[in-house]
Amino acid sequence: MILTQIANPAFRSRIWARPTSCRSFWGWLNAVFNRVDYERIKDFGPDRAASEWLLRCGAKVRYQGFEKWQHDYNGLPTGPLGKYKIQAIDATDSCIMYRGFDYLDGLKHLEEIKLCKCIYIEDACLERISKTDTLQESLRRLEIISCGNVSDKGIIALHSLRNLEYLFLSDLPGIRQKELTVELLQKAKPSLNLELDLD
């Protein structure tokens, strides 16, 4: 029934004529994808639950001891509970948002995160990452690229990541005080390898 309606040009023209309603539908759907299922985390472990969340939102994960990136939700590996530990996340073009970040809480082996063209990533997300105990210990590399809602405030919050070794920042129009932000970060973390591609 639904496919018949979608195939009907009159129906499609009604949908395309209301771009705001389409946008709000996708925003609603993305919010649903980011809803945290605490029972699933408890039953299947934080790495499995976080993998499902990330892949559902269009991100990729790489597991400890594996070179291949996992991007197919239906191809998630099975096996003993806790066998697959997330080591890296590539959230390029994904719809991850703040409300789903509770999934990150139990990830003890996560060393790398790439946030590229993530329209829902904002300062609160970076602050949340920096306040997550497990990530303060495990996170080594972070890339933030073309995330328009990130400002100086979010970048400065990253100084709490105790073991962060490498930070790459590119195409972040929300950063208004580049020199001051860089200075504060370097003062707080002198050993941080900070690479910038900001205008």
Side-chain angles (χ1 to χ4, degrees):
M1 175 70 178
I2 291 174
L3 290 177
T4 310
Q5 285 182 332
I6 292 172
N8 181 341
F11 176 79
R12 284 199 313 264
S13 67
R14 285 197 311 269
I15 293 290
W16 306 147
R18 295 188 309 249
T20 22
S21 62
C22 283
R23 267 186 296 221
S24 58
F25 169 75
W26 289 113
W28 171 82
L29 187 61
N30 291 335
V32 168
F33 284 166
N34 279 275
R35 188 176 59 227
V36 179
D37 185 343
Y38 296 99
E39 285 298 313
R40 190 125 183 109
I41 295 171
K42 188 172 133 192
D43 294 344
F44 293 94
D47 289 275
R48 176 63 189 211
S51 295
E52 292 173 356
W53 163 59
L54 290 160
L55 270 58
R56 194 169 50 238
C57 291
K60 298 184 281 191
V61 298
R62 193 179 72 237
Y63 297 109
Q64 194 174 43
F66 293 84
E67 290 182 23
K68 183 181 171 227
W69 286 91
Q70 180 67 41
H71 59 85
D72 179 10
Y73 184 91
N74 295 320
L76 275 168
T78 56
L81 193 60
K83 178 182 177 185
Y84 295 94
K85 305 290 186 187
I86 297 176
Q87 186 175 24
I89 294 171
D90 181 350
T92 300
D93 289 317
S94 72
C95 69
I96 63 170
M97 61 178 64
Y98 181 83
R99 75 179 296 186
F101 273 45
D102 282 1
Y103 279 112
L104 299 175
D105 283 343
L107 303 182
K108 297 179 180 173
H109 305 277
L110 181 57
E111 296 179 4
E112 301 175 36
I113 299 177
K114 181 177 184 179
L115 303 170
C116 179
K117 298 179 185 172
C118 300
I119 62 171
Y120 297 109
I121 293 297
E122 56 194 349
D123 292 338
C125 299
L126 301 183
E127 291 168 352
R128 179 71 168 81
I129 287 172
S130 68
K131 290 177 182 171
T132 303
D133 292 337
T134 53
L135 298 184
Q136 286 179 353
E137 293 301 320
S138 69
L139 199 62
R140 303 282 188 271
R141 296 176 58 87
L142 180 58
E143 296 181 25
I144 306 168
I145 305 159
S146 302
C147 296
N149 295 320
V150 170
S151 76
D152 305 86
K153 181 182 174 189
I155 300 301
I156 291 169
L158 299 174
H159 79 277
S160 302
L161 296 168
R162 292 189 283 272
N163 293 314
L164 191 66
E165 298 167 357
Y166 175 77
L167 177 61
F168 177 64
L169 305 173
S170 175
D171 187 27
L172 299 172
I175 295 183
R176 305 270 189 233
Q177 298 176 306
K178 180 175 80 171
E179 290 78 15
L180 180 61
T181 300
V182 168
E183 184 184 330
L184 290 171
L185 260 183
Q186 288 178 329
K187 224 177 245 185
K189 297 189 67 56
S191 62
L192 178 66
N193 179 3
L194 182 57
E195 191 176 336
L196 303 173
D197 180 19
L198 302 170
D199 291 332

